[in-house]
Amino acid sequence: TSNLVDGSATVTVDEKYHHNLTGNYTVHTYIKTKDGSTIGYNLGQYAFNNTQAATSVTATYKGTGVYGVTISGVYSNGSVKYAIWSDVNGQDDIKWYDASVSQAIATGLINVANHSGTGTYHLHAYQSDNGKMYLLGKTEFTMKKTSYNTPYYNQKDERWGNTLYGGYKMGATGCVPTSLSMIISSLSGKEILSTMVADYLYYDTVEFNRGSQGTSGNGVLLASKHFGMTPTALGSVNELTNALKEGHYVSASVQMNKFSSWPFVTSHAIVLKGYSNGNTYVLDPYNAANNGWYPIDALWREQSTQYENIAALGHPFVKITDI
């Protein structure tokens, strides 16, 4: 729309509202007269040359069923939403997500836990501008797995609790192998028992029950890689919180708290997964009664200070993913 000035009307057309597509465009104009009638005119075709880079939309796998969405070249600071649905049965499973916008780039996440079925998925991104929703772009990606169920294993399980490694029973010192077996089983979709991780750490490395009881921080890294996972040491409580918000597993070593309250134990490994109002869900390989939601800040403050745990990590919190 435009107001008349000295008998002339000027309208600025922004190419972004036509998705930055180069080509010939037909222009129609309409004038509403004083008597209320509307008169239309065909002004012919005009060449429209794109001067802006086209918007790009990508979905990148980040591990643990989480995809990162990046939408570059967005139109403005208006809200951006993106729709996700599978190739099966049309859009019957469509879900909408909100993206964050900063400096012409919108970002967001997709978690396979919100979807069902594998195969091709479609992503269409839209931005709200001047009261309307405009298509920014679209892409496709492949979901290979949509379930990450976590098995619970206990280091005192009768199947392996009395197994000796270097003179120490699995039930007493096997918290790391048992924690890792839960994580790796979920990520791989295979049954990786506690003894499988313990056997690798004891017989193929010097990081488990060698010289001192328990598993070193370096052992967490080596075992994760051995079973095809990617470990990433987390350097701050913010990194820990973000990893849990995204839906990843974290192997954590803590001390002098509910999970490690015995005077002779200086460290205990637990599994962290999930996020809710500053809390995360803990799986305790020693005592299932301790499983539940706990404050992330408190767990970070109670981190193990044992040298073997922090020498290779800095902080004994390790994100483990299946990429």
Side-chain angles (χ1 to χ4, degrees), residues 17 23 36 73 112 119 141 154 161 167 191 206 317 320:
Y17 297 123
V112 300
F141 60 98
N154 192 296
E191 186 180 56
V206 293
F317 292 82
I320 301 175

Side-chain angles (χ1 to χ4, degrees), residues 73-128:
V74 300
Y75 298 159
S76 67
N77 289 326
S79 63
V80 173
K81 295 179 179 292
Y82 49 98
I84 308 293
W85 69 94
S86 68
D87 208 25
V88 179
N89 298 325
Q91 295 184 339
D92 66 327
D93 58 346
I94 191 169
K95 293 186 183 297
W96 287 87
Y97 295 81
D98 293 314
S100 299
V101 182
S102 177
Q103 298 181 340
I105 296 178
T107 57
L109 296 173
I110 304 166
N111 196 314
V112 300
N114 299 326
H115 301 271
S116 61
T118 57
T120 301
Y121 273 71
H122 303 272
L123 188 163
H124 286 196
Y126 298 83
Q127 181 160 45
S128 176

Side-chain angles (χ1 to χ4, degrees), residues 141-159:
F141 60 98
T142 302
M143 281 194 186
K144 297 181 179 180
K145 182 179 178 181
T146 57
S147 177
Y148 286 83
N149 296 322
T150 312
Y152 176 75
Y153 297 134
N154 192 296
Q155 65 195 77
K156 298 178 293 181
D157 190 300
E158 62 181 10
R159 291 174 290 176

Side-chain angles (χ1 to χ4, degrees), residues 279-296:
N279 299 306
T280 189
Y281 195 85
V282 173
L283 290 168
D284 181 356
Y286 189 82
N287 184 0
N290 288 337
N291 295 348
W293 292 91
Y294 294 86
I296 296 171

